[in-house]
Amino acid sequence: MLKDLGSPTTRRSSPRSAFRSAGEAPLRSVGMPSTVRRRRTVLILVILACFTLIVLDARRSAGSPLEPVREAAASVFGPLESTATSAREPVDDLRDRFAEMDRLKAENERLKQANEDLTRQLTTSDYARSRADELDKLLEVAPKYTMTPARVIGIGGAQSFSHTVTIDAGTADGVRVDMTVMNGVGLVGRVVRTTQGTATVLLIGDRNSTVGGRLNQTMALGFVSGRGDVAGTLDYKLVDPKARPKVGDRIVTWGSRGNAPYVPGVPIGIVTSVTPNAGALGSTATIKPYVDPTRIDTVGVVTGPPARPPRTQLKGRGN
């Protein structure tokens, strides 16, 4: 027991064991900077290698050492890229088609709106031009009569007469029943009903309309009556059964007592055909009116006697 406790071997080994036990930590701590240096060295070498490869590849020479690598990568990734592109193309095409459809739809709407605007402008221009023409024609005949201008604002059905129009002038404008209504080309009809702001006009083409008419060339008198058709066709019968109207003869009003309901000298229409009366003397002429009853807009109501200079007094030769 004394040998074991006091053995030199035991005494010598104990300090070294204690030293190693106490020195293990310092040995490990001394080894860490070496590991860091090795990692830094590897990183530097990798960076240098990459830089070298970049420089070599930038030369783009035929003998570039990266050419085999590039070819190998192209052979591997090329088919994958082509497949991905092929798979993406239908999606891209579909997206492009939707975008094109939206663009075409927007363009179509824009062109449609522009076309509607142009059509509206053209229609308005045509209407304004037509009204201006009618007004010009009315002004040409206005000096012969005292008249009130008016516009047609209604036609037929809603009124008590079969062939009538409503105008926007009434008693407040001096319009009365049995006044002559005309436009720039001829006779329209006569006033049969009035309100303060409107008047109803019976067209000469109505079955209940009869107008005294005179042949413009022979001065022969007759009566013009309507047939009641849409075109406003008229029949003309002469007072003298021996008188014979001819195709192309023009008919004008001969006038009424007190210029009501018709003033004299207003054009009515033109003879288009002549038919002998069956079993009786005389003949009946078909008249095409100058005024188209389906296209009446601006009219004039004759509110006073025809304008004319004073008549010249006739004196005998002995005076």
Side-chain angles (χ1 to χ4, degrees):
M1 293 177 63
L2 292 174
K3 184 179 180 179
D4 294 334
L5 294 172
S7 171
T9 304
T10 305
R11 287 195 297 267
R12 286 192 297 267
S13 61
S14 296
R16 282 195 293 266
S17 299
F19 178 78
R20 281 195 295 270
S21 299
E24 283 179 359
L27 288 176
R28 285 194 296 270
S29 61
V30 171
M32 288 182 65
S34 176
T35 304
V36 172
R37 284 196 297 271
R38 283 197 301 271
R39 291 177 179 176
R40 288 180 178 178
T41 302
V42 172
L43 179 61
I44 292 172
L45 291 176
V46 171
I47 293 174
L48 291 175
C50 292
F51 182 75
T52 303
L53 292 176
I54 292 173
V55 173
L56 293 175
D57 186 57
R59 295 173 56 190
R60 297 187 179 277
S61 60
S64 175
L66 295 181
E67 191 65 28
V69 177
R70 186 182 296 109
E71 292 179 356
S75 63
V76 173
F77 295 105
L80 296 178
E81 183 179 0
S82 177
T83 302
T85 302
S86 300
R88 191 178 68 249
E89 282 181 354
V91 178
D92 293 341
D93 291 343
L94 185 61
R95 182 189 61 211
D96 293 341
R97 288 183 181 180
F98 277 114
E100 183 68 12
M101 288 176 62
D102 292 339
R103 188 188 68 80
L104 292 176
K105 184 178 180 179
E107 181 69 12
N108 184 56
E109 290 296 329
R110 186 186 68 80
L111 292 176
K112 183 179 179 180
Q113 183 63 41
N115 183 58
E116 291 177 355
D117 293 340
L118 290 174
T119 302
R120 190 181 304 109
Q121 293 176 8
L122 181 61
T123 302
T124 303
S125 299
D126 290 343
Y127 176 67
R129 186 163 47 249
S130 298
R131 285 204 61 204
D133 291 341
E134 289 192 8
L135 186 58
D136 288 341
K137 293 176 182 178
L138 188 62
L139 290 174
E140 290 178 2
V141 299
K144 300 179 182 179
Y145 306 95
T146 302
M147 65 173 61
T148 298
R151 289 184 55 200
V152 173
I153 58 174
I155 185 170
Q159 304 174 62
S160 58
F161 300 94
S162 56
H163 285 75
T164 60
V165 294
T166 301
I167 59 176
D168 62 354
T171 56
D173 306 293
V175 177
R176 300 289 185 270
V177 173
D178 279 344
M179 283 185 170
T180 305
V181 181
M182 57 185 296
N183 65 8
V185 296
L187 183 64
V188 173
R190 61 186 175 91
V191 177
V192 292
R193 178 184 296 173
T194 58
T195 66
Q196 185 176 5
T198 65
T200 300
V201 179
L202 182 68
L203 303 180
I204 59 173
D206 187 85
R207 291 183 180 275
N208 296 319
S209 173
T210 301
V211 183
R214 183 193 301 272
L215 289 176
N216 201 29
Q217 291 184 345
T218 65
M219 308 300 287
L221 301 177
F223 294 96
V224 178
S225 57
R227 292 184 179 180
D229 59 17
V230 175
T233 307
L234 307 171
D235 290 326
Y236 179 59
K237 292 183 179 180
L238 291 169
V239 174
D240 182 2
K242 296 180 180 179
R244 290 290 185 272
K246 300 187 299 295
V247 174
D249 282 345
R250 300 180 184 277
I251 313 296
V252 297
T253 58
W254 78 45
S256 306
R257 179 180 298 178
N259 296 312
Y262 299 108
V263 296
V266 182
I268 298 176
I270 187 171
V271 176
T272 57
S273 64
V274 179
T275 304
N277 294 331
L281 296 176
S283 57
T284 299
T286 300
I287 308 297
K288 179 181 179 181
Y290 289 123
V291 176
D292 184 346
T294 64
R295 299 182 180 182
I296 307 173
D297 183 72
T298 302
V299 299
V301 181
V302 180
T303 54
R308 59 179 177 79
R311 296 182 182 180
T312 303
Q313 294 182 352
L314 300 178
K315 297 181 179 180
R317 292 182 181 180
N319 295 333

